């Protein structure tokens, strides 16, 4: 995983559509002498899975499963996939059609968000086993980590001016470091769905229930199109249409999300009185002020509490707003810190921007992300007509694809971008305020799914699997596979998170 400071635009882009928002950390496998348990043809041993930011662990069974890196050369290099098994509560004998959870990113490892998955699928797990397979290139599945000869992460010059050239030069060094360990050309969605089906066969499961978050929704759609006979049901949360160029629409989706957040403040008497300038206008004002003259700020590092001094740039402010817009509980701070900045008090903004940068920086395996987007999205990207009114400029998309000229890849088949048309039962979930996969994306995908149903979680951002009564609805849907019969009225209890009116919290 990357843990150094990239250009702000590159960081903003790398947040991408990571689904579960908590940054992950690896779990630990059990002792080697612990008796193994067999599921199908795979031997598992006890392990503990953790998710950073969560105050609990998940006890599981873990295994490795080998697949060829290049399926056209079955005698060539083989790689290990990490497979984690969350056993059903039904006395260890779950129903025969397990759940495969597909993580976001690209670049997130499924086993490293196990606590979130266990919470979201707690009703499902009462009857069905859940499997978390780290997609090749992530987590414990031959990660495409950028390592030097000493085995440590390749450094990047933190003091260098942010630029596409900086990202490209780093990607070139990273690709060189992978020689002998991995060929990045074979770490795409097409290879991932073949891996999933190989694991399915080894487990002895005839059909699967797929649950995908964010980029995982692309994986779920692609698997269902390739293996409809082995797909029982699909849940996709934070929906990515197959035909979407990931990264190409960020400026529009982020702008719309900030506008929606601003409108909520205008509708609230306390918020509108405390912040007479709406959030979108205030954000633009602060960004334009810093564009004219970046400010040197003294503040406390949110991770260490050590005093720091840093130049606050327009990109860092936009990056913070983008990061916060993923989670309503964070975005509720935005009007306050922007108001402080507008009055010349930049320390809270600088501190939060540094914390957001650190969080974004280690969620995603950047090498695997490049392998996917350079193959599947960059060849289809067309720069939009620039709009002077957009909060996010074209530099975000340029940074997103900056590595592609030097990163080893081969363009994906045209069929990869074909919309899914299927009679399978599909539940599509969206957060109303999602800044990267808005509800209109789910409606777009729904057109090809006569047995599908789209639900929008009011006031929620990116990732709704744990929101309110959603875990119960997931259990009911996967049990019945009838999306249209679901009584989703319980979602009406979801509400908006009010804006902080001071650093003490919300108004009483």
């Amino acid at each position: 995983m990357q843990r150094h400071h990239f250009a702000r635009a590159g960081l903003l882009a790398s947040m991408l559509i990571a689904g579960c928002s908590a940054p992950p950390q690896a779990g630990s496998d059990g002792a080697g002498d612990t008796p193994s348990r067999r599921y199908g043809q795979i031997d598992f041993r006890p392990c503990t899975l953790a998710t950073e930011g969560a105050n609990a662990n998940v006890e599981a069974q873990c295994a490795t499963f080998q697949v060829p890196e290049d399926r056209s050369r079955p005698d060539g290099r083989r790689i290990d996939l990490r497979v984690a098994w969350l056993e059903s509560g039904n006395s260890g004998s779950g129903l025969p059609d397990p759940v495969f959870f597909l993580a976001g990113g690209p670049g997130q490892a499924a086993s490293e968000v196990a606590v979130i998955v266990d919470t979201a699928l707690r009703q499902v797990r009462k009857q069905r086993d859940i499997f978390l397979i780290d997609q090749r290139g992530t987590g414990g599945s031959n990660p495409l980590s950028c390592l030097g000869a000493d085995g440590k992460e390749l450094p990047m010059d933190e003091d260098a001016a942010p630029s596409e050239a900086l990202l490209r030069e780093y990607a070139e060094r990273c690709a060189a470091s992978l020689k002998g360990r991995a060929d990045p050309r074979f770490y795409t969605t097409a290879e991932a769905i073949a891996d999933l089906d190989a694991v399915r066969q080894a487990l002895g499961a005839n059909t699967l229930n797929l649950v995908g978050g964010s980029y995982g929704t692309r994986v779920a759609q692609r698997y269902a199109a390739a293996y409809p006979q082995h797909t029982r049901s699909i849940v996709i949360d934070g929906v990515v249409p197959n035909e979407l160029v990931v990264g190409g629409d960020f400026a529009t989706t982020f702008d719309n999300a900030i506008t929606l957040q601003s409108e909520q403040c205008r509708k609230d008497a306390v918020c509108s009185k405390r912040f007479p300038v709406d959030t979108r206008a205030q954000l633009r004002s602060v960004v334009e002020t810093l564009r004219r003259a970046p400010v040197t700020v003294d503040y406390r590092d949110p991770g260490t509490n050590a005093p720091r001094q840093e130049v606050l740039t327009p990109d860092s402010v936009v990056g913070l707003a983008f990061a916060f817009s993923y989670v309503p509980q964070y975005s509720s701070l935005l009007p306050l810190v922007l108001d402080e900045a507008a009055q010349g008090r930049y320390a809270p903004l600088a501190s939060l921007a540094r914390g957001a940068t650190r969080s974004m920086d280690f969620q995603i395996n950047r090498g695997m992300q490049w392998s996917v987007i350079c193959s599947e999205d960059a060849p289809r990207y067309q720069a939009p007509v620039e709009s002077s009114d957009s909060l996010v400029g074209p530099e975000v998309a340029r940074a997103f694809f900056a590595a592609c000229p030097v990163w080893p890849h081969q363009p994906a088949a045209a069929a990869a971008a074909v919309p899914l048309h299927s009679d399978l039962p599909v539940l599509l979930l969206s957060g109303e305020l999602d800044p990267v996969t808005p509800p209109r994306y789910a409606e777009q995908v729904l057109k090809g799914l006569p047995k599908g149903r789209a639900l929008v979680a009011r006031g929620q951002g990116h990732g709704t699997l744990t929101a309110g009564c959603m875990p119960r609805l997931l259990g009911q849907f996967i049990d019945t596979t009838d999306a249209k019969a679901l009584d989703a009225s319980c979602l009406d209890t979801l509400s908006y998170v009010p804006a902080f009116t001071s650093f003490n919290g919300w108004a009483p």
Side-chain angles (χ1 to χ4, degrees):
M1 292 291 183
Q2 315 306 314
R3 296 179 184 268
H4 40 258
H5 176 78
F6 275 85
R8 298 285 184 180
L11 275 173
L12 196 161
S14 77
M15 276 198 75
L16 230 180
I17 44 176
C20 304
S21 57
Q25 65 182 20
S28 59
D29 292 335
D33 57 355
T34 305
S36 63
R37 293 184 55 195
R38 177 162 283 241
Y39 194 121
Q41 300 171 19
I42 304 178
D43 291 322
F44 290 83
R45 293 183 183 277
C47 61
T48 301
L49 304 176
T51 300
E52 189 169 315
N55 58 3
N57 297 328
V58 175
E59 298 302 320
Q61 301 284 330
C62 289
T64 57
F65 179 76
Q66 278 202 343
V67 292
E69 183 182 57
D70 177 0
R71 284 188 162 79
S72 69
R73 299 176 60 246
D75 296 329
R77 179 163 49 216
R78 299 185 68 80
I79 60 175
D80 287 336
L81 301 179
R82 189 183 200 207
V83 182
W85 167 24
L86 307 185
E87 298 175 83
S88 76
N90 190 16
S91 303
S93 56
L95 294 175
D97 37 34
V99 173
F100 275 22
F101 177 79
L102 312 173
Q108 193 175 59
S111 70
E112 295 176 342
V113 289
V115 175
I116 298 170
V117 174
D118 191 45
T119 300
L121 301 182
R122 59 182 181 269
Q123 294 295 324
V124 177
R125 193 180 172 187
K126 290 180 179 179
Q127 299 188 77
R128 286 180 170 83
D129 296 302
I130 298 168
F131 289 92
L132 312 177
I133 298 108
D134 288 354
Q135 188 167 333
R136 58 167 64 196
T138 74
S141 298
N142 204 38
L144 300 188
S145 304
C146 307
L147 304 177
D150 58 359
K152 297 180 180 179
E153 291 183 59
L154 288 173
M156 174 177 276
D157 185 355
E158 296 189 6
D159 298 321
S163 67
E164 293 173 58
L166 184 70
L167 286 166
R168 192 171 294 126
E169 185 272 337
Y170 184 84
E172 200 163 23
R173 287 193 289 134
C174 180
S177 78
L178 291 171
K179 289 182 178 176
R181 293 192 287 127
D183 185 336
R185 296 177 300 163
F186 302 108
Y187 290 74
T188 63
T189 306
E191 294 296 340
I193 64 172
D195 290 342
L196 291 174
D197 202 58
V199 173
R200 177 198 63 77
Q201 293 179 58
L203 293 173
N206 183 48
T207 57
L208 302 174
N209 299 283
L210 305 174
V211 179
S214 205
Y215 161 71
T217 70
R218 173 187 282 184
V219 180
Q221 292 172 78
R222 294 274 300 279
Y223 182 92
Y227 305 101
Q229 73 278 24
H230 297 305
T231 306
R232 178 177 177 271
S233 72
I234 307 170
V235 176
I236 43 180
D237 177 34
V239 180
V240 181
N242 284 340
E243 62 271 33
L244 180 74
V245 175
V246 173
D249 199 25
F250 280 170
T252 301
T253 57
F254 170 58
D255 208 90
N256 291 344
I258 290 293
T259 298
L260 286 172
Q261 292 169 18
S262 298
E263 290 173 355
Q264 291 309 312
C265 184
R266 301 276 65 76
K267 294 176 183 177
D268 181 87
V270 174
C271 187
S272 60
K273 181 179 179 180
R274 173 66 179 83
F275 305 112
V277 180
D278 74 66
T279 305
R280 188 182 185 281
Q282 192 77 288
L283 176 58
R284 178 172 294 284
S285 175
V286 170
V287 166
E288 289 177 349
T289 297
L290 293 175
R291 186 167 286 127
R292 290 191 295 269
V295 176
T296 300
V297 185
D298 294 301
Y299 68 98
R300 291 279 178 177
D301 187 299
T304 65
N305 201 38
R308 292 185 61 88
Q309 186 178 83
E310 189 167 287
V311 175
L312 190 64
T313 67
D315 284 345
S316 61
V317 175
V318 174
L320 173 69
F322 191 83
F324 272 22
S325 66
Y326 271 56
V327 184
Q329 289 79 358
Y330 292 162
S331 61
S332 65
L333 272 169
L334 198 57
L336 179 61
V337 295
L338 290 174
D339 183 67
E340 289 284 298
Q343 299 178 56
R345 296 188 290 269
Y346 291 98
L349 194 57
S351 178
L352 290 171
R354 180 167 180 80
T357 296
R358 180 183 293 113
S359 175
M360 284 188 285
D361 212 12
F362 57 80
Q363 282 196 67
I364 301 298
N365 183 289
R366 193 172 297 270
M368 180 274 195
Q369 184 181 96
W370 284 332
S371 286
V372 171
I373 65 172
C374 293
S375 170
E376 302 170 23
D377 299 284
R380 297 184 290 120
Y381 175 67
Q382 294 182 345
V385 176
E386 293 187 24
S387 169
S388 59
D389 194 44
S390 176
L391 292 167
V392 174
E395 68 277 0
V396 173
R398 289 199 298 264
F400 193 48
F401 298 122
C404 294
V406 299
W407 191 255
H409 68 280
Q410 44 200 1
V418 172
L420 176 64
H421 292 275
S422 174
D423 288 330
L424 290 167
V426 184
L427 185 63
L428 304 92
L429 310 176
S430 305
E432 179 189 11
L433 306 179
D434 191 331
V436 283
T437 55
R440 63 182 171 86
Y441 285 1
E443 292 295 335
Q444 184 176 330
V445 174
L446 184 63
K447 293 176 182 178
L449 304 172
K451 293 184 180 178
R453 181 178 177 185
L455 301 177
V456 178
R458 180 172 57 192
Q460 303 303 302
H462 188 59
T464 69
L465 291 175
T466 61
C469 64
M470 198 67 81
R472 175 159 58 85
L473 294 179
L474 297 178
Q476 291 173 359
F477 169 67
I478 293 178
D479 182 35
T480 65
T481 68
D482 190 343
K484 295 184 179 181
L486 284 180
D487 179 2
S489 60
C490 60
L491 293 177
D492 294 341
T493 61
L494 294 174
S495 60
Y496 300 96
V497 179
F500 274 46
T501 53
S502 75
F503 286 109
N504 291 323
W506 302 288

